[in-house]
Amino acid sequence: MAPTRVLIDTDPGVDDAVAILLALASPEIEVVAVTAVAGNVPLDKTALNARRIVALADRHDIPVAAGRAEPLSAPVVEDSVVHGRDGLGDLDWDEPAVALDPRDGVELIAEMIGRGPLTIVAIGPLTNLAVLVQRHPGIDRSVAHLVIMGGASFQGNVTPAAEFNIWADPEAARVVFDADWPITLMPLDLTHQAYLTDDDLAYLRSLGTEVGRRVAAMLEPYAQFHERWYGNRDVIMHDAMAVYELLDAEAIEKQGVRVAVETDGVHSRGATFIDRRREHADSLVRVGLSVDNDLFRARLRERLATLKD
Ligand code: BDR
Ligand code: CA
């Protein structure tokens, strides 16, 4: 079977970095482009980090372009407490050997849609995709599949109601969920079931590769953050779930739903209302409910081990 053509829209972010590397290491997927959006850190940093990760995997053939620097109407997030000041755990990096593509990220997404069936993996705020739909009415209907990490049914992580990617640009999320494309959504309820442990970090270090060393080093401050925040060092792999869906779809149980995004609430701005009533069983939008973490961890280990540097 031909590999799935995939564009990754991202705000790296250490879990974005793992998601991108998982995609680059997987023969089922052909990554045709990476577009950066402001999110975990401002756009200049997310674009630089996307170039660093693509260069780390030695994939100079993949264009990396910068999209939107500002959410539709929310303020830009200035400094991440979760991902380090640089967004990737504050390691030392050489200037990446992958240059920034001069094209506008949103237009690069449109161009890639025009070239054939495309799956978009969206693992940051949804600003680039909202602007895509606004600038190119109807383009949503030409996208084969959109896999989003975002939202929560029961508990947010920025506020009690809101998950980061939706909270960072709720107006954009509303545009995206109201558009007409097949969406698979990976909310916090699902992604908290997918985590790496200290054993996995030790495994990555033991690979003896630059990828293994760097990923383990990036994830260490993230583990420390989780320990302060959640009381254990489990490293939650939010964004990798959106890629994993394209590798082992049967390992993630899903259900048809309708998703509405709150943009006005006093306490609930950025909340996602995920309606699981049976009337939405055949909806174009599906939500991930549960994942087998042992299968996921094994797949991630196997794939990252193939990235030699
Ligand atoms: C999401 O927010 C970001 O911090 C992560 O990279 C992930 O995309 C989880 O809420
Ligand atoms: Ca992200």
Side-chain angles (χ1 to χ4, degrees):
M1 226 171 52
T4 306
R5 290 179 72 242
V6 171
L7 179 144
I8 303 178
D9 189 61
T10 176
D11 65 335
V14 297
D15 63 322
D16 301 73
V18 174
I20 295 167
L21 291 170
L22 176 61
L24 296 177
S26 293
E28 301 88 343
I29 291 176
E30 180 198 357
V31 178
V32 296
V34 176
T35 50
V37 65
N40 286 314
V41 283
L43 182 68
D44 56 339
K45 292 183 182 175
T46 59
L48 172 62
N49 291 342
R51 289 164 53 214
R52 286 170 167 169
I53 299 304
V54 172
L56 178 62
D58 222 6
R59 292 298 302 274
H60 308 106
D61 53 313
I62 298 175
V64 177
R68 305 300 294 175
E70 289 178 9
L72 297 191
S73 36
V76 184
V77 174
E78 284 302 336
D79 262 317
S80 161
V81 289
V82 182
H83 301 262
R85 276 188 314 282
D86 78 341
L88 282 187
D90 295 324
L91 313 181
D92 285 330
W93 294 83
D94 292 335
E95 175 63 19
V98 169
L100 186 66
D101 190 288
R103 285 170 286 190
D104 168 57
V106 175
E107 293 314 308
L108 183 58
I109 300 173
E111 197 180 316
M112 290 298 166
I113 293 169
R115 287 196 201 167
L118 185 72
T119 292
I120 300 175
V121 166
I123 52 179
L126 293 166
T127 320
N128 286 347
L129 297 186
V131 172
L132 174 80
V133 168
Q134 289 172 337
R135 278 192 203 159
H136 300 273
I139 199 167
D140 40 327
R141 286 195 284 279
S142 303
V143 172
H145 188 187
L146 168 59
V147 190
I148 297 173
M149 188 282 130
S153 291
F154 303 116
Q155 169 76 48
N157 58 1
V158 183
T159 72
E163 179 279 332
F164 177 80
N165 288 339
I166 307 299
W167 170 86
D169 196 346
E171 283 74 16
R174 176 173 278 184
V175 170
V176 167
F177 282 104
D178 287 351
D180 198 11
W181 34 23
I183 293 177
T184 305
L185 177 66
M186 304 300 175
L188 292 181
D189 321 273
L190 172 84
T191 61
H192 276 250
Q193 300 168 39
Y195 54 87
L196 303 184
T197 65
D198 281 328
D199 273 359
D200 299 303
L201 300 199
Y203 169 80
L204 289 169
R205 282 188 286 265
S206 79
L207 291 174
T209 60
E210 184 64 8
V211 170
R213 269 192 298 275
R214 282 211 170 250
V215 173
M218 261 186 264
L219 292 179
E220 179 53 39
Y222 201 46
Q224 290 170 15
F225 169 80
H226 282 116
E227 188 168 24
R228 287 194 301 279
W229 203 249
Y230 297 111
N232 61 58
R233 284 176 47 86
D234 295 346
V235 186
I236 301 167
M237 290 284 94
H238 303 287
D239 290 341
M241 278 302 100
V243 172
Y244 188 52
E245 166 67 7
L246 305 178
L247 307 180
D248 291 330
E250 66 290 346
I252 302 179
E253 188 196 350
K254 290 164 288 277
Q255 180 187 342
V257 294
R258 182 171 189 285
V259 176
V261 179
E262 178 64 274
T263 54
D264 289 327
V266 175
H267 301 291
S268 55
R269 182 168 156 78
T272 44
F273 293 95
I274 302 176
D275 186 350
R276 298 184 187 179
R277 285 175 293 179
R278 281 179 64 86
E279 67 201 81
H280 304 302
D282 298 325
S283 164
L284 260 191
V285 183
R286 295 176 314 150
V287 68
L289 302 172
S290 64
V291 62
D292 184 328
N293 194 39
D294 290 337
L295 287 182
F296 165 67
R297 288 169 62 211
R299 180 66 82 206
L300 187 69
R301 282 183 179 216
E302 169 218 322
R303 293 297 163 87
L304 292 190
T306 67
L307 291 176
K308 308 264 184 258
D309 199 19

